[in-house]
């Protein structure tokens, strides 16, 4: 039997957090080897295990996988979270790319200069409420199902819940105009594997704070 996937990344959310979410939702136990200082990253690079000298890197099924999107789509396909055919996969991809764009804006907010943070936070809230969340609200309304694609839990649902919770950290009532997304959040949060991941003490990481920003900047020479 193959061992547990091993995740190599810093001790924070970043690009690895969506991978943690997807594995947890699939009910897969995983181990983490944290990059805590510059030397840890240099060792991985020196050992030749980072194809493009970058993390995230996940050891899974005998591979040392890099590139977030490649890792996520592999896990989604392996654990039957990637639709039943090409059309469903295309829809999942489109929905995931949308939430990735929104989460990217939120992810980089703590790393931005103090004088631009307020402006960028306002932009995140505007984009979430006018560009991104209306799409998912409409999708749920149009097909009347519990899930975004194929009336079955997929990567798109897991990614959307992660994006919703991140957006709520920016503005607590950000879903106030989206009743179907509020209901969706409740449903998906109560799926047993996801509910477990949302409990204190899980491998879910906290929001990025100034202390962690300083650590990341040191490790990656930012």
């Amino acid at each position: 039997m193959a061992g547990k996937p091993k995740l190599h990344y810093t001790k924070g959310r970043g690009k690895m957090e969506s991978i943690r979410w997807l594995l947890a939702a699939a009910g897969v136990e995983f181990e983490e080897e944290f990059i805590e200082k510059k030397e840890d990253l240099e060792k991985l690079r020196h050992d030749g295990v980072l194809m493009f000298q970058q993390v995230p890197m996940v050891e899974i099924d005998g591979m040392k996988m890099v590139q977030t999107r490649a890792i996520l789509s592999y896990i989604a396909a392996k654990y039957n979270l990637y639709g039943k055919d090409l059309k469903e996969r295309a829809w999942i991809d489109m929905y995931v790319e949308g939430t990735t764009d929104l989460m990217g804006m939120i992810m980089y907010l703590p790393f931005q200069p103090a004088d631009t943070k307020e402006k960028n936070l306002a932009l995140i809230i505007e984009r979430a409420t006018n560009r991104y969340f209306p799409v998912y609200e409409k999708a749920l309304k149009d097909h009347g199902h519990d899930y975004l694609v194929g009336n079955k839990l997929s990567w798109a649902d897991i990614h959307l819940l992660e994006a919703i919770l991140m957006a709520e950290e920016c503005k607590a009532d950000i879903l106030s105009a989206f009743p179907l997304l509020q209901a969706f959040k409740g449903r998906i949060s109560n799926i047993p594997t996801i509910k477990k991941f949302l409990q204190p003490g899980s491998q879910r990481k906290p929001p990025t704070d100034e202390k962690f920003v300083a650590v990341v900047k040191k490790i990656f020479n930012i």
Side-chain angles (χ1 to χ4, degrees):
M1 188 180 154
K4 296 175 186 175
K6 186 185 275 190
L7 282 47
H8 297 263
Y9 201 65
T10 56
K11 207 181 251 183
R13 288 184 181 176
K15 291 189 171 184
M16 187 65 91
E17 191 70 355
S18 292
I19 296 166
R20 296 183 186 109
W21 265 88
L22 197 54
L23 285 167
V28 179
E29 291 185 5
F30 57 88
E31 297 172 351
E32 300 192 77
E33 196 158 303
F34 295 116
I35 296 166
E36 299 189 73
K37 52 190 188 296
K38 197 175 168 181
E39 290 75 16
D40 298 338
L41 180 62
E42 287 307 320
K43 186 181 185 309
L44 286 173
R45 287 173 172 163
H46 185 262
D47 290 348
V49 296
L50 303 179
M51 188 185 285
F52 300 109
Q53 310 292 312
Q54 296 169 305
V55 287
M57 189 269 277
V58 174
E59 295 184 59
I60 185 169
D61 295 343
M63 297 184 286
K64 290 180 169 64
M65 291 196 74
V66 296
Q67 296 294 357
T68 312
R69 172 81 206 194
I71 297 165
L72 285 165
S73 55
Y74 180 83
I75 294 165
K78 180 178 170 77
Y79 294 104
N80 200 23
L81 294 164
Y82 210 179
K84 69 177 188 305
D85 55 32
L86 273 173
K87 276 194 176 175
E88 284 195 358
R89 190 166 287 200
W91 279 105
I92 290 167
D93 284 341
M94 286 191 282
Y95 288 141
V96 163
E97 289 298 328
T99 39
T100 299
D101 289 347
L102 176 59
M103 287 196 285
M105 294 173 73
I106 300 170
M107 198 187 303
Y108 292 117
L109 186 66
F111 293 88
Q112 290 165 355
D115 58 347
T116 64
K117 269 188 190 169
E118 205 172 309
K119 183 182 158 192
N120 286 313
L121 178 61
L123 180 63
I124 287 165
I125 293 163
E126 188 274 324
R127 288 277 168 85
T129 51
N130 294 320
R131 178 179 293 187
Y132 295 109
F133 289 160
V135 170
Y136 302 102
E137 183 82 3
K138 183 177 186 298
L140 293 167
K141 185 181 179 186
D142 286 353
H143 61 45
H145 294 154
D146 285 350
Y147 304 104
L148 286 171
V149 179
N151 202 21
K152 177 179 182 295
L153 181 70
S154 76
W155 174 20
D157 302 302
I158 298 157
H159 219 242
L160 176 55
L161 177 60
E162 184 188 359
I164 286 170
L165 297 181
M166 286 176 75
E168 286 183 333
E169 289 168 355
C170 296
K171 186 174 188 281
D173 66 346
I174 201 160
L175 286 188
S176 58
F178 304 103
L180 296 180
L181 282 181
Q182 290 174 44
F184 171 89
K185 176 192 160 190
R187 276 196 309 276
I188 307 302
S189 295
N190 275 301
I191 290 168
T193 52
I194 294 174
K195 190 174 184 176
K196 186 180 173 189
F197 188 62
L198 292 172
Q199 299 303 312
S202 81
Q203 287 165 292
R204 187 182 178 215
K205 302 298 179 270
T208 300
D209 58 17
E210 284 181 22
K211 190 179 168 188
F212 184 67
V213 167
V215 170
V216 169
K217 285 183 171 178
K218 217 169 180 178
I219 293 170
F220 294 99
N221 276 340
I222 298 171

